[in-house]
Amino acid sequence: MKKIPLIFILLFLISACSSNKESASVIFCMDTVMDIKVYGEKSGDAVSEIESELNRLEKLFDRKYDGSDICTIKSGKIHAETEEIIKKALDISLKTDGAFDITIAPLMDLWGFYDKEYTIPGENEIKNALKSVSYRNIFFDEKGINIMNNAAVDLGGIAKGYASDKTVDILEKHGIKSAIVNLGGNVYAHGMRPNGKMWTVAVANPFDKEKNAVTVNVSDKAVVTSGAYQRCFEADGKKYHHIIDPKTGFPSESGIQSVTVIDADGTEADALSTAFFVMGKDRTADFLADNPGIDAVVITEEKKIYYTSGLEGCISNESDMEILCIND
Ligand code: AMP
Ligand code: MG
């Protein structure tokens, strides 16, 4: 047998080790904990670039910053990325018949979700706020954006998904083949695990968030969850969560406890998970039947788990809840 020179063996070992190099970071950004794990030779560079990108996007899109693009937005020309994300949001509003609506800002404010001073608003206050709530109050023409009826924009239901897509761009730029990024409920599983297997992403049990409801095996997909347990407060023995039905002005009562969207497009997955939460299980099932390629896991108040047939063979139930195919 021909001998392999020692130098080649060493080179092979060095390249195998360097491609398994792991760089990780946990940061607090966009009001949530973000967990980034990247594998490969350039993983360190990728992680630092991702961190600065996330901080940059937070300053652009977060209502927390008084000077952010989104707080100071008015009719006319706006930042190209703000325009891009708002256009995507309006497209999802159209497709979901207004279940997703970025003009819910005055309602979020009324319920105290911005300053975390939670209150149940009065009927008149809600009625008043609803006057400026409609995605139809925003449109684009050759002069740029047009904002009617004092509408104010909240990108909380889509910004993290957009950020995860930007993260993927950075991973690709650095030639990264394996990474998992969790932007507070917005997971993106890039490529394969370092061992060549698919990523396993857990979906929390909304009735006990320390436990899993299901796990899904994915690759190159966003796995985005909107849940009633994620941001909520209790008053007079009732729970109020942060996903508002733009038609009523109240936290949505569609019968859903959590919904997870699995989709290659992270921005779309984020907006749709919020929309599906408002739409409820049956409207979500209809939407998904018309849009193959997008998968979802819906967990209802009756403790039932519904999943799309595209997840067959990739999903496993880790709870004692009943699991059913949503298309049946
Ligand atoms: P998510 O956790 O992605 O479902 O997004 C929830 C966040 O989206 C909230 O904290 C609000 O900032 C915003 N939001 C709430 N209700 C809606 C809605 N119906 N349409 C669009 N954004 C919403
Ligand atoms: Mg969302």
Side-chain angles (χ1 to χ4, degrees):
M1 204 176 90
K2 221 171 144 188
K3 273 193 180 166
I4 303 170
L6 185 63
I7 183 74
F8 286 128
I9 296 173
L10 282 174
L11 280 175
F12 172 78
L13 286 175
I14 288 166
S15 77
C17 288
S18 59
S19 71
N20 274 340
K21 187 179 150 198
E22 177 187 332
S23 302
S25 168
V26 179
I27 57 167
F28 191 80
C29 188
M30 298 187 180
D31 218 14
T32 191
V33 177
M34 299 187 163
D35 195 342
I36 306 149
K37 274 197 193 75
V38 180
Y39 300 85
E41 209 183 323
K42 299 248 187 79
S43 57
D45 294 346
V47 168
S48 6
E49 200 173 327
I50 288 167
E51 283 175 348
S52 4
E53 177 67 351
L54 293 171
N55 288 320
R56 184 184 73 82
L57 292 173
E58 178 184 47
K59 292 197 179 74
L60 209 52
F61 296 148
D62 208 313
R63 289 200 68 86
K64 192 170 73 195
Y65 291 96
D66 283 345
S68 75
D69 225 48
I70 222 59
C71 285
T72 54
I73 197 167
K74 45 185 184 341
S75 294
K77 292 283 175 218
I78 56 172
H79 192 286
E81 284 167 299
T82 312
E83 177 167 337
E84 186 189 6
I85 193 170
I86 292 181
K87 281 184 171 166
K88 286 199 176 183
L90 295 178
D91 179 48
I92 303 286
S93 298
L94 261 183
K95 289 182 178 149
T96 61
D97 193 24
F100 187 76
D101 194 325
I102 53 170
T103 65
I104 38 83
L107 291 165
M108 294 302 288
D109 197 21
L110 261 189
W111 285 91
F113 282 105
Y114 293 144
D115 53 12
K116 299 195 170 73
E117 305 237 338
Y118 304 113
T119 41
I120 305 170
E123 230 174 88
N124 275 339
E125 285 177 297
I126 294 211
K127 234 170 115 182
N128 230 5
L130 279 172
K131 287 183 192 155
S132 62
V133 176
S134 169
Y135 68 95
R136 292 194 182 84
N137 284 331
I138 297 179
F139 60 90
F140 287 86
D141 62 17
E142 65 292 342
K143 289 197 259 16
I145 194 168
N146 292 272
I147 301 176
M148 324 297 284
N149 297 321
N150 294 318
V153 175
D154 175 328
L155 296 173
I158 190 169
K160 281 180 266 162
Y162 183 87
S164 82
D165 285 340
K166 293 283 171 173
T167 297
V168 176
D169 291 346
I170 295 170
L171 293 170
E172 279 169 357
K173 189 181 99 183
H174 288 280
I176 301 289
K177 301 273 185 290
S178 176
I180 186 106
V181 181
N182 185 351
L183 311 183
N186 280 243
V187 175
Y188 197 95
H190 178 70
M192 294 289 194
R193 281 159 61 193
N195 65 5
K197 293 193 174 145
M198 285 177 116
W199 294 99
T200 301
V201 180
V203 173
N205 184 333
F207 301 99
D208 180 356
K209 60 181 179 187
E210 302 310 318
K211 292 191 176 145
N212 294 343
V214 297
T215 56
V216 286
N217 291 334
V218 289
S219 168
D220 288 327
K221 288 274 164 80
V223 181
V224 180
T225 299
S226 291
Y229 59 89
Q230 285 168 339
R231 216 161 278 196
C232 56
F233 68 96
E234 216 170 309
D236 305 334
K238 203 176 153 146
K239 271 195 178 150
Y240 296 91
H241 59 75
H242 69 313
I243 301 173
I244 307 286
D245 185 336
K247 296 218 162 65
T248 64
F250 276 77
S252 148
E253 295 197 33
S254 65
I256 287 182
Q257 275 297 304
S258 87
V259 51
T260 302
V261 175
I262 299 115
D263 183 357
D265 182 330
T267 314
E268 182 178 74
D270 192 3
L272 283 180
S273 71
T274 312
F276 290 166
F277 195 100
V278 173
M279 286 156 71
K281 188 208 102 203
D282 292 341
R283 277 177 69 202
T284 296
D286 292 345
F287 184 100
L288 291 165
D290 293 341
N291 292 275
I294 302 172
D295 283 302
V297 179
V298 174
I299 304 179
T300 63
E301 277 164 6
E302 294 126 29
K303 299 198 169 172
K304 286 193 176 147
I305 305 172
Y306 294 89
Y307 67 95
T308 43
S309 54
L311 295 173
E312 205 74 67
C314 307
I315 185 166
S316 68
N317 188 3
E318 304 235 319
S319 72
D320 50 13
M321 290 185 268
E322 189 184 357
I323 188 161
L324 306 141
C325 186
I326 203 167
N327 316 89
D328 292 342

